[in-house]
């Protein structure tokens, strides 16, 4: 009986996710699901990417947290449309929550919508939210054993961002092994090494995302 209930929940989420995909496709909006542990640097990465994309693309943000508005207030200072989503204890964002939030945005004035998911390496990977891309962040201080411990997160990611790369000097972190482990379970994954402090990898990641945004816009208008 429990298995049947879980299946029904997942099927309901998938139906809602499909509705969101259709709505975003109609409005040529690329939605990016940013996933990673607390403290991995999700908000900081969104801020840096928004700064690089903003000259060419219109950026919106959904900030997911269990509670509080700290990250949304940081985003709001950039004069970007942002909505705070508090899950009140839930360890992930579900598609229905995104569906309820999208009307707060003028989707015809948004090219890319970043969703910062709840900070952990388990639950967010299990629920589609209508996204086009999934970015998994793994920061150097977290350790290089996370792909082996939490394989689902890395198996479903379109891109792996090895974050806070400037700290590699201070930690025994084997990024070559992490990349190899990820590609063994997810051969098509794109891997970026990024540092907010030094600026490494950010231009490459922004260029990759910009190409995805442009491709979706062309596909919809062709």
């Amino acid at each position: 009986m429990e298995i049947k209930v879980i299946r029904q929940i997942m099927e309901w989420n998938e139906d809602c996710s499909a509705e969101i995909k259709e709505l975003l496709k109609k409005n040529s909006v690329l939605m990016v699901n940013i996933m990673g542990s607390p403290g991995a640097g999700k908000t900081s990465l969104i801020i840096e990417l928004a700064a690089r994309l903003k000259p060419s693309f219109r950026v919106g943000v959904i900030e997911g947290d269990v509670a509080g508005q700290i990250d949304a207030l940081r985003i709001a200072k950039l004069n970007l449309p942002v909505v705070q989503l508090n899950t009140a204890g839930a360890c992930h964002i579900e598609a229905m929550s995104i569906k309820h939030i999208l009307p707060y945005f003028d989707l015809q004035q948004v090219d890319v919508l970043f969703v910062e998911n709840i900070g952990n390496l388990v639950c967010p990977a299990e629920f589609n939210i209508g996204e086009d891309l999934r970015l998994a962040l793994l920061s150097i201080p977290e350790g290089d054993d996370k792909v082996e411990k939490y394989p689902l997160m890395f198996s479903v990611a379109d891109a792996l961002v090895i974050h806070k790369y400037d700290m590699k000097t201070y930690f025994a972190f084997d990024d070559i092994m992490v990349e190899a482990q990820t590609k063994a379970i997810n051969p098509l994954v794109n891997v970026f090494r990024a540092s907010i402090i030094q600026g490494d990898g950010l231009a490459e990641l922004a260029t990759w995302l910009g190409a995805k945004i442009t491709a979706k816009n062309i596909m919809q208008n062709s």
Side-chain angles (χ1 to χ4, degrees), residues 76-148:
K77 291 179 180 179
L78 304 177
N79 294 318
L80 297 176
V82 56
V83 175
Q84 178 73 52
L85 169 58
N86 288 345
T87 64
C91 62
H92 62 276
I93 294 174
E94 295 182 3
M96 183 58 73
S97 296
I98 299 297
K99 183 179 179 179
H100 288 159
I101 282 178
L102 288 180
Y104 287 96
F105 293 91
D106 181 355
L107 294 179
Q108 294 187 344
Q109 298 300 317
V110 176
D111 297 310
V112 56
L113 183 60
F114 289 111
V115 180
E116 179 174 341
N117 217 311
I118 306 304
N120 75 77
L121 291 174
V122 182
C123 306
E126 298 176 348
F127 289 82
N128 293 320
I129 58 172
E131 70 272 67
D132 297 280
L133 296 174
R134 289 179 162 192
L135 267 63
L137 269 65
L138 176 60
S139 65
I140 295 295
E142 294 176 69
D144 58 14
D145 58 353
K146 298 303 180 288
V147 178
E148 184 174 353

Side-chain angles (χ1 to χ4, degrees), residues 17 19 27 34-35 94-95 114 152 166 168 192:
S17 177
E19 291 178 26
N27 288 277
I34 309 287
M35 303 180 293
E94 295 182 3
F114 289 111
L152 179 61
D166 55 288
K168 189 172 182 295
F192 300 89

Side-chain angles (χ1 to χ4, degrees), residues 26-210:
K26 192 177 299 182
N27 288 277
S28 300
V29 177
L30 185 88
M31 189 159 77
V32 185
N33 186 359
I34 309 287
M35 303 180 293
S37 299
K42 298 184 293 296
T43 306
S44 297
L45 184 65
I46 290 172
I47 289 172
E48 292 294 330
L49 290 175
R52 285 167 169 75
L53 294 170
K54 197 174 177 181
S56 302
F57 304 103
R58 298 163 296 181
V59 181
V61 181
I62 296 174
E63 271 295 334
D65 282 301
V66 172
Q69 303 180 53
I70 295 172
D71 293 337
L73 290 172
R74 290 177 63 191
I75 299 292
K77 291 179 180 179
L78 304 177
N79 294 318
L80 297 176
V82 56
V83 175
Q84 178 73 52
L85 169 58
N86 288 345
T87 64
C91 62
H92 62 276
I93 294 174
E94 295 182 3
M96 183 58 73
S97 296
I98 299 297
K99 183 179 179 179
H100 288 159
I101 282 178
L102 288 180
Y104 287 96
F105 293 91
D106 181 355
L107 294 179
Q108 294 187 344
Q109 298 300 317
V110 176
D111 297 310
V112 56
L113 183 60
F114 289 111
V115 180
E116 179 174 341
N117 217 311
I118 306 304
N120 75 77
L121 291 174
V122 182
C123 306
E126 298 176 348
F127 289 82
N128 293 320
I129 58 172
E131 70 272 67
D132 297 280
L133 296 174
R134 289 179 162 192
L135 267 63
L137 269 65
L138 176 60
S139 65
I140 295 295
E142 294 176 69
D144 58 14
D145 58 353
K146 298 303 180 288
V147 178
E148 184 174 353
K149 288 183 175 182
Y150 308 102
L152 179 61
M153 172 67 69
F154 301 93
S155 69
V156 300
D158 297 285
L160 166 62
V161 180
I162 302 176
H163 205 209
K164 303 184 182 182
Y165 199 69
D166 55 288
M167 301 189 75
K168 189 172 182 295
T169 303
Y170 309 102
F171 291 87
F173 188 103
D174 189 342
D175 57 305
I176 303 300
M177 179 190 73
V178 166
E179 179 172 357
Q181 289 177 334
T182 303
K183 288 189 173 179
I185 57 175
N186 186 359
L188 299 180
V189 71
N190 296 269
V191 179
F192 300 89
R193 293 161 172 80
S195 165
I196 301 298
I197 301 298
Q198 297 181 346
D200 299 336
L202 298 173
E204 292 84 353
L205 180 54
T207 298
W208 180 75
L209 283 171

Side-chain angles (χ1 to χ4, degrees), residues 3-13:
I3 294 175
K4 184 177 181 181
V5 172
I6 291 171
R7 181 181 176 189
Q8 287 176 345
I9 290 172
M10 298 300 287
E11 287 179 350
W12 168 80
N13 188 79

